[in-house]
Amino acid sequence: LTAEEFEQRVVKSDEFWVIEWFANWCGGCNMVSPWYKEAATLLKPRGIQLGAMDMDLYGDLGRSYGVSGMPHIMAFLPGDPENPVGMGGLGGAETIVKFAEEQFAKLSEDQRNAALAATLPPPPPAPPSIKTVDFFASLGLEEFSAEFVKIGHETTASLSALDPSDFGELGM
């Protein structure tokens, strides 16, 4: 993460984050890195985000959270970003997963649900209404496209016949 991403996604959001503070030259960090990546893969579907902050780039930020040695892993609970919980010791992806799940369990059900919702992709758009399909068919088109934009000036009267809710379906 960058410092800006950290501020927006960790400090100011409802997401639950586990952050690893590292440096590329750090032997322990290089040892932990594959475990951390494996833990991230296992935890993301559960609503737990894992990120990493490079101390060579963001050392002042890390030190503001008490990071003095590396690697340093800590959980940032939504609603309390100023009091992260540090993970003691190191020991494989399983240890990171266990730590993250223990911290995640401390959240309220609403916080856990919000954290999970934040990791899910947005729902697919609703299918177009019959009215929208008919409108495009009247223009000889199957869907909203660049071709619609080309002929749009000719369809102003027809376009005004659509309901306001149809404009969302058209991407307008």
Side-chain angles (χ1 to χ4, degrees):
L1 298 171
T2 66
E4 183 177 296
E5 289 170 329
F6 181 85
E7 179 71 18
Q8 292 302 312
R9 298 186 68 196
V10 178
V11 176
K12 292 184 177 178
S13 80
D14 290 333
E15 295 177 300
F16 174 83
W17 281 86
V18 174
I19 300 293
E20 175 198 18
W21 302 87
F22 75 96
N24 289 322
W25 49 262
C26 166
C29 300
N30 292 324
M31 180 181 71
V32 169
S33 180
W35 302 337
Y36 198 71
K37 289 175 184 173
E38 181 182 344
T41 301
L42 296 169
L43 291 168
K44 183 158 180 130
R46 302 178 198 176
I48 300 172
Q49 303 278 4
L50 272 72
M53 297 294 296
D54 187 335
M55 286 292 286
D56 287 333
L57 298 175
Y58 309 110
D60 289 342
L61 181 61
R63 285 185 288 282
S64 75
Y65 286 101
V67 177
S68 59
M70 296 169 292
H72 191 94
I73 297 174
M74 53 180 48
F76 286 81
L77 285 64
D80 194 15
E82 297 306 314
N83 295 299
V85 178
M87 181 178 124
L90 298 174
E94 310 82 32
T95 305
I96 298 166
V97 168
K98 182 179 178 193
F99 166 74
E101 288 177 334
E102 287 172 353
Q103 299 309 312
F104 192 70
K106 293 178 181 180
L107 302 178
S108 70
E109 183 176 351
D110 287 344
Q111 287 175 311
R112 288 191 304 270
N113 289 338
L116 180 58
T119 66
L120 299 174
S129 68
I130 295 299
K131 191 173 187 178
T132 302
V133 171
D134 290 346
F135 171 73
F136 284 117
S138 74
L139 300 174
L141 301 171
E142 293 182 25
E143 60 186 15
F144 182 78
S145 65
E147 186 63 23
F148 173 76
V149 175
K150 288 180 190 173
I151 63 173
H153 68 281
E154 300 168 10
T155 64
T156 305
S158 299
L159 187 59
S160 65
L162 291 174
D163 292 328
S165 62
D166 291 317
F167 291 114
E169 294 176 5
L170 301 176
M172 301 175 158

